[in-house]
Amino acid sequence: MAALRTSRASRGRTTGGADRDGGPLRAVGRALKSPFRGAGRLIRRVTHAHGAGESGLGRLIELHAVNGAGDVLITVALASTVFFSVPTDEARGRVALYLAITMAPFALLAPVIGPLIDRIPWGRRAAMASAMGARAVLALVLTGAVAGGGIQLYPAALAVLVCSRTYGVVRSAVVPRLLPRRFSLVKANSRVTLGGLVATGVAAPVGAGLHLIGPRWPLYAACAVFVAGTMLSLSLPKKVDSAKGEEPALLAADPEHLHGPHRRVPEDRPRLALRTVGTSVTHGLVVNASQRVLSGFLLFFLAFLLREHPMSGQSVAVSMGVVGVSAGTGNALGTAVGAWLRARAPERIIVTVVALVVVAAALAAAFFGAAMVAVLAGVAGFAQALSKLSLDAMIQRDVPEQVRTSAFARSETTLQMAWVVGGAIGISLPLVGPLGLAVAAAIVGAGWATTVRGLLRSAGSTGRHLT
């Protein structure tokens, strides 16, 4: 018995020693994990507030944040390798060629992507997961190209862009399915957009720090982020895949303004009255498309222009960074203001902010300089965010629920293609600052001039506003 007690005491001392030895290690582990757990709980509390957790909107907000973080990590990795590795004329030619090669199939397939996804179980979740997973693979492909400048560099980089645009189209169709009770689409889209902007702001300096270690490290991080996004896409509620009760929307004001084969089917006219989206929405879509053209134009035109003619006293990277920060700040401010206004009188909001863009572009063309370019980028980002939220409000207000999801998806597809058109224009123009910004003013001015009367008339005849 004495021997047994001695053995137990010995084991107790051994165990206690192990506990004492392991205690500090566990304490350090807990201390290291604590900030991450705390940040995770805070993020989850914010994204899942006001019923967003129960409806599934919170997960979509987190997914969009992951999407933004991954995209900016790839952008950081490519900024100082792809773009600056070849002469400007050659780079413009490559970008134009691969933009056409990669975007042409998307443009041709866009009209059938939505209906096809709606007919496939797990369609929308699978589409977003595929867009995430493809970018994870492409990030790994790019790791081998950033150092050696391999031939796969440009097509892989622009394929990432196509995947990002595809994700954006599908996401716009998912939001209406995840609305909490007493939640407007404007408020939901504001939250989703702000989540992406915050993640972008956090990921940018992280990517820059990783780039100091080596040009491939931001791409490794992007791969990990997109793998997480793939899993998060599949974790969305199953109801986002359901197309029950939905009908395809036609982006026309009314049946009388339809063209093509639909005009030759008289028996369809009662259904067409339901499936068209109304005058205010078509006008809002046109003017939003002009701003997306401006966005694509400014991205490509200013990227090449600032490469050849940086801001006075600044490097090329700093010049581009200033413009990018201005645009991002404007976009975040526009999203915040849109959430605060809740898109009351959306037609008047669009008319006002787009007029500001026209004025800013005209002034930037007349008094071309670093300050005016930064101001234009900020105003354009502000107006684009606020105009898009106003368009969402008009779709929610004027489009029947049966076709609302389709209207969101098709309108977003139209806006994505408008961005591509703007990029093509920006690549093709001579690198003359005043000329380019005059073209920018003309693009937005044309969209504003052709829709202002219709928007104001719609605002006057509609006595309803979102609350």
Side-chain angles (χ1 to χ4, degrees), residues 21-49:
D21 292 340
L25 293 177
R26 285 198 295 270
V28 171
R30 285 193 297 268
L32 292 175
K33 291 179 181 178
S34 180
F36 296 101
R37 288 178 177 174
R41 285 194 294 268
L42 178 61
I43 292 171
R44 181 58 57 92
R45 191 180 305 122
V46 171
T47 58
H48 286 223

Side-chain angles (χ1 to χ4, degrees), residues 47-63 174-180 183-184 187-189 191-192 236-237 239:
T47 58
H48 286 223
H50 304 106
E54 292 79 3
S55 71
L57 181 64
R59 290 186 182 179
L60 183 62
I61 296 172
E62 294 167 358
L63 175 63
V174 167
V175 174
R177 285 285 180 180
L178 299 178
L179 290 182
F183 234 69
S184 71
K187 186 175 181 180
N189 278 321
R191 283 200 178 188
V192 172
L236 290 172
K239 61 184 176 181

Side-chain angles (χ1 to χ4, degrees), residues 122-187:
W122 282 48
R124 291 170 185 163
R125 287 182 293 169
M128 289 192 288
S130 298
M132 293 284 179
R135 279 179 286 176
V137 174
L138 289 166
L140 291 179
V141 171
L142 286 169
T143 58
V146 290
I151 192 171
Q152 74 271 28
L153 189 144
Y154 275 85
L158 289 168
V160 169
L161 178 62
V162 174
C163 292
S164 180
R165 298 295 165 184
T166 303
Y167 160 82
V169 171
V170 181
R171 179 189 63 81
S172 68
V174 167
V175 174
R177 285 285 180 180
L178 299 178
L179 290 182
R181 294 182 61 185
R182 292 191 290 266
F183 234 69
S184 71
L185 283 166
V186 174
K187 186 175 181 180

Side-chain angles (χ1 to χ4, degrees), residues 80-283:
S80 61
T81 54
V82 177
F83 194 66
F84 300 108
S85 61
V86 295
T88 299
D89 290 339
E90 184 181 348
R92 292 175 76 185
R94 288 188 187 182
V95 170
L97 174 62
Y98 289 118
L99 190 63
I101 291 173
T102 54
M103 280 299 185
F106 181 75
L108 294 174
L109 292 175
V112 300
I113 288 176
L116 180 63
I117 290 173
D118 291 341
R119 286 176 172 81
I120 301 175
W122 282 48
R124 291 170 185 163
R125 287 182 293 169
M128 289 192 288
S130 298
M132 293 284 179
R135 279 179 286 176
V137 174
L138 289 166
L140 291 179
V141 171
L142 286 169
T143 58
V146 290
I151 192 171
Q152 74 271 28
L153 189 144
Y154 275 85
L158 289 168
V160 169
L161 178 62
V162 174
C163 292
S164 180
R165 298 295 165 184
T166 303
Y167 160 82
V169 171
V170 181
R171 179 189 63 81
S172 68
V174 167
V175 174
R177 285 285 180 180
L178 299 178
L179 290 182
R181 294 182 61 185
R182 292 191 290 266
F183 234 69
S184 71
L185 283 166
V186 174
K187 186 175 181 180
N189 278 321
S190 296
R191 283 200 178 188
V192 172
T193 304
L194 281 174
L197 290 171
V198 170
T200 298
V202 172
V206 172
L210 291 172
H211 193 273
L212 295 177
I213 302 175
R216 297 181 179 184
W217 282 96
L219 293 170
Y220 291 138
C223 178
V225 167
F226 285 128
V227 168
T230 302
M231 304 305 296
L232 194 56
S233 298
L234 296 174
S235 73
L236 290 172
K238 294 182 179 180
K239 61 184 176 181
V240 305
D241 291 323
S242 173
K244 184 178 180 180
E246 295 179 10
E247 294 186 27
L250 299 173
L251 298 182
D254 51 63
E256 285 70 26
H257 290 83
L258 291 174
H259 302 283
H262 296 288
R263 289 287 289 175
R264 296 193 291 272
V265 187
E267 60 270 19
D268 280 355
R269 291 181 68 86
R271 284 174 58 83
L272 291 177
L274 175 65
R275 293 164 63 191
T276 52
V277 296
T279 304
S280 62
V281 173
T282 54
H283 286 313

